[in-house]
Amino acid sequence: MRTIQFILTLLILTMFSQAQMADLNLTRMRYGEPVQFYSARMLGLAGSGLASQGSVGNALENPALIFPQQGTLTLTAGLMTNKLVEDRQFPYYDSFSGFNDFGSYSYNSNYHFAPYFQLGWILPLAHPVAVQVGRVPFLDFRYKYAEEVRDPFDKTDKLLGYNWIDQSGVLNQTFLAVGTQVVSGLKVGLKLGFLSGTIDSTMKIEPRVEGNLFSEQRIDRRRTLSSTPVLFNLGLHYRVSERLSVGAFAQLPYTLKWDNHLKGDSMAVAEEIDYPLSLGGGLDYRFQNILQARVFMDFIYSFSGNFKDSRTAELHYRDTFTLRGGVEHLFFKKQMPFRIGFSYATLPYNYNLANTWLTLGTGWYFSRWHVDLAAGLNHQEFYQPDLFPDTIYGLDARTDLDRVQWTNYFFRFDVTINLF
C-alpha cells in the first residue's frame, strides 16, 4: 500500500511541474487540440491499449483490434465532457520594486461537450472480417477567454472595459475500419477517416468608458475546409502467448487545407497545415492471479519536426513522444472493472513542458450491456505575454510575462450493447 501511495504522489507531482514559456491557448486555436480518449475505457487507462484486443476506441489508432468483437453486431454511444479552467496571473511588486507574488486578474471556466458513436459487425464471409464505422471528435479548436480591465491608478477601481475571445468548432472524424486474422495469432487492420467541421472565432474589445479615445473593436472569422482530409491508419496485433499480446500502428501524414473568411469580406485567405507521421507500439500482459489484472504499456513517436504551416516559415518544432500505461482489474465475477492510467507526452515546441494525465475508470458489465465511465485530470503552467496589451486603454504596457495555469477535467460515459 505504501508503494502505491508513493507512486501516486510521484505522478501527481509530475503533473504540477515547473512552468515554461509557451502559447498553449494560441496553438490550440490555430492547430487544434488532439482528442486523446475515444471512449471511457480508453480514458480510464490514460489512452493505453494499443494491444488490447477488442477494446472500444483503441481501434481508431490500431484498427487490427476490431477483430474479433464480442457480438456479431455491436453499438457504442457516449458523451465526451471536458472542463478547462484557466487562471491568468500577473506579477506585482512593492514600493521598492521588489517582487511580491502573482495576482489573478482573469479566471475562466468552460465546459465542452461532444457526442460519439461507433457500430461494428462481423461479416459472415468464408474468411470472417470485422467492420467498424462511427463518428468521433478528432481535433478540438474550442477556446473561450474573458478579461475585465480596470484602471490601476483610480481609487474607485474604475472599469475600463472587457476583452473577449470566443472560438468554437471541432473537426470530427467519420471513419471506416476493417480488420481480420491473416494467420493464427496475427491480425491486421486498416482505417480510413474523413474529417469535417467549421471553426468560428470572435475577438472583441468592449470599452466601458466615455470619450473618443476608446472604440469597440470586433473581428469575426470563419475557417472552412476547402477539401476533405483523409486519415490512414494501419495496425497489427499479435498474440505472443496466452498472457501476452503486442500491437503496433502507423498514422500516415495528412493535410488540412483551410479557407479563412472575415465577416463582411468575400475574399478568402488560403492556408495549408501538414500534420506528421505517427508510429506506436504497445503490449497487453495478464498477470497470473485471482484478480486477472491486466497491464497496458504504449509508446508513440510523432515526427513533429515535419509539422508545417504555410503561413509560418519556421516553426522550429521537434519530434515528440508519448508514454502511457494503465492497469485494469475485474471484480465481482468479472462484472465490474477498476482502471487507473497515467500518460506523459512531450510538446513539439518546448521539451521542458509536457502534457500529463492521471485517470481513473470503472463500469458495469451485465448480459449484453457494457456501461463504462471514467474521469481524468491534466494540469499545466506556462508563461505568456498579455493577450490584450493595456495600451488599448491608454495605460502603460506591462513588460512582465503572465503566469497561466490550465487545469483540464475530463469525463467520459458510454454504453455498449451487443445487438446480435
Side-chain angles (χ1 to χ4, degrees), residues 49-281:
L50 287 175
S52 177
Q53 187 64 56
S55 175
V56 174
N58 289 98
L60 286 164
E61 291 182 327
N62 183 2
L65 300 178
I66 70 174
F67 185 90
Q69 60 184 29
Q70 293 183 348
T72 303
L73 184 62
T74 302
L75 173 65
T76 298
L79 181 66
M80 178 189 84
T81 303
N82 292 353
K83 180 183 179 182
L84 175 59
V85 176
E86 177 178 329
D87 186 7
R88 182 172 288 267
Q89 307 163 357
F90 67 91
Y92 61 89
Y93 304 86
D94 58 26
S95 56
F96 300 99
S97 299
F99 172 75
N100 281 340
D101 201 352
F102 283 90
S104 177
Y105 73 92
S106 176
Y107 184 88
N108 291 276
S109 177
N110 296 290
Y111 284 95
H112 298 146
F113 303 92
Y116 56 89
F117 79 92
Q118 59 187 42
L119 180 68
W121 68 95
I122 301 292
L123 298 181
L125 304 176
H127 187 84
V129 175
V131 177
Q132 210 174 75
V133 296
R135 183 179 175 87
V136 297
F138 182 74
L139 283 176
D140 193 343
F141 291 81
R142 293 173 292 186
Y143 177 71
K144 291 186 178 182
Y145 176 82
E147 172 189 321
E148 187 179 80
V149 183
R150 294 186 176 272
D151 191 340
F153 305 106
D154 190 288
K155 294 182 179 181
T156 63
D157 199 25
K158 183 179 180 180
L159 175 64
L160 297 181
Y162 295 100
N163 302 323
W164 309 85
I165 297 176
D166 188 353
Q167 178 163 292
S168 61
V170 176
L171 286 191
N172 291 295
Q173 177 183 186
T174 303
F175 67 90
L176 167 65
V178 179
T180 189
Q181 179 172 285
V182 290
V183 296
S184 179
L186 178 62
K187 304 175 182 66
V188 298
L190 169 67
K191 186 212 71 180
L192 298 179
F194 305 92
L195 301 184
S196 61
T198 300
I199 313 302
D200 291 307
S201 61
T202 298
M203 182 176 295
K204 183 170 63 172
I205 299 171
E206 186 178 342
R208 293 294 185 179
V209 293
E210 296 180 356
N212 296 327
L213 178 62
F214 307 104
S215 60
E216 180 175 318
Q217 301 178 41
R218 176 171 178 152
I219 299 175
D220 294 290
R221 186 181 68 166
R222 166 165 287 192
R223 301 169 72 189
T224 58
L225 292 169
S226 58
S227 62
T228 301
V230 181
L231 301 178
F232 292 90
N233 279 54
L234 305 173
L236 296 171
H237 180 271
Y238 182 66
R239 188 175 182 182
V240 180
S241 66
E242 182 182 352
R243 301 190 179 280
L244 177 64
S245 297
V246 295
F249 85 99
Q251 179 176 285
L252 302 185
Y254 62 96
T255 300
L256 299 185
K257 296 182 179 181
W258 293 103
D259 283 335
N260 292 274
H261 304 263
L262 291 178
K263 185 176 181 180
D265 192 344
S266 60
M267 294 187 62
V269 177
E271 64 175 327
E272 292 188 11
I273 301 175
D274 297 326
Y275 292 77
L277 169 70
S278 294
L279 303 174

Side-chain angles (χ1 to χ4, degrees), residues 174-414:
T174 303
F175 67 90
L176 167 65
V178 179
T180 189
Q181 179 172 285
V182 290
V183 296
S184 179
L186 178 62
K187 304 175 182 66
V188 298
L190 169 67
K191 186 212 71 180
L192 298 179
F194 305 92
L195 301 184
S196 61
T198 300
I199 313 302
D200 291 307
S201 61
T202 298
M203 182 176 295
K204 183 170 63 172
I205 299 171
E206 186 178 342
R208 293 294 185 179
V209 293
E210 296 180 356
N212 296 327
L213 178 62
F214 307 104
S215 60
E216 180 175 318
Q217 301 178 41
R218 176 171 178 152
I219 299 175
D220 294 290
R221 186 181 68 166
R222 166 165 287 192
R223 301 169 72 189
T224 58
L225 292 169
S226 58
S227 62
T228 301
V230 181
L231 301 178
F232 292 90
N233 279 54
L234 305 173
L236 296 171
H237 180 271
Y238 182 66
R239 188 175 182 182
V240 180
S241 66
E242 182 182 352
R243 301 190 179 280
L244 177 64
S245 297
V246 295
F249 85 99
Q251 179 176 285
L252 302 185
Y254 62 96
T255 300
L256 299 185
K257 296 182 179 181
W258 293 103
D259 283 335
N260 292 274
H261 304 263
L262 291 178
K263 185 176 181 180
D265 192 344
S266 60
M267 294 187 62
V269 177
E271 64 175 327
E272 292 188 11
I273 301 175
D274 297 326
Y275 292 77
L277 169 70
S278 294
L279 303 174
L283 61 86
D284 172 0
Y285 182 76
R286 294 173 181 263
F287 284 105
Q288 187 173 1
N289 57 33
I290 192 172
L291 295 176
Q292 291 292 305
R294 297 176 65 181
V295 175
F296 308 93
M297 294 295 298
D298 293 346
F299 177 80
I300 299 174
Y301 191 89
S302 296
F303 295 85
S304 303
N306 296 327
F307 188 98
K308 294 180 181 179
D309 182 348
S310 63
R311 299 181 64 185
T312 304
E314 296 183 6
L315 288 173
H316 302 292
Y317 276 13
R318 294 182 292 180
D319 293 352
T320 59
F321 68 88
T322 301
L323 288 171
R324 58 196 192 191
V327 179
E328 180 181 65
H329 288 272
L330 289 176
F331 298 98
F332 304 110
K333 297 181 180 181
K334 298 184 179 181
Q335 289 184 319
M336 179 175 288
F338 171 77
R339 306 179 182 114
I340 185 171
F342 181 77
S343 174
Y344 177 91
T346 59
L347 297 179
Y349 42 84
N350 193 332
Y351 272 11
N352 295 316
L353 188 66
N355 261 333
T356 57
W357 297 272
L358 182 62
T359 67
L360 293 171
T362 186
W364 186 256
Y365 297 169
F366 53 96
S367 185
R368 296 182 301 167
W369 294 79
H370 288 184
V371 177
D372 290 292
L373 53 92
L377 173 67
N378 163 247
H379 180 85
Q380 292 171 304
E381 287 189 0
F382 59 97
Y383 292 102
Q384 185 183 45
D386 191 1
L387 291 179
F388 294 87
D390 291 342
T391 52
I392 295 173
Y393 298 94
L395 303 175
D396 293 334
R398 289 192 288 107
T399 57
D400 294 312
L401 297 176
D402 291 341
R403 184 176 71 178
V404 186
Q405 295 182 338
W406 266 22
T407 305
N408 278 284
Y409 301 93
F410 304 94
F411 181 77
R412 301 285 187 279
F413 172 81
D414 52 51

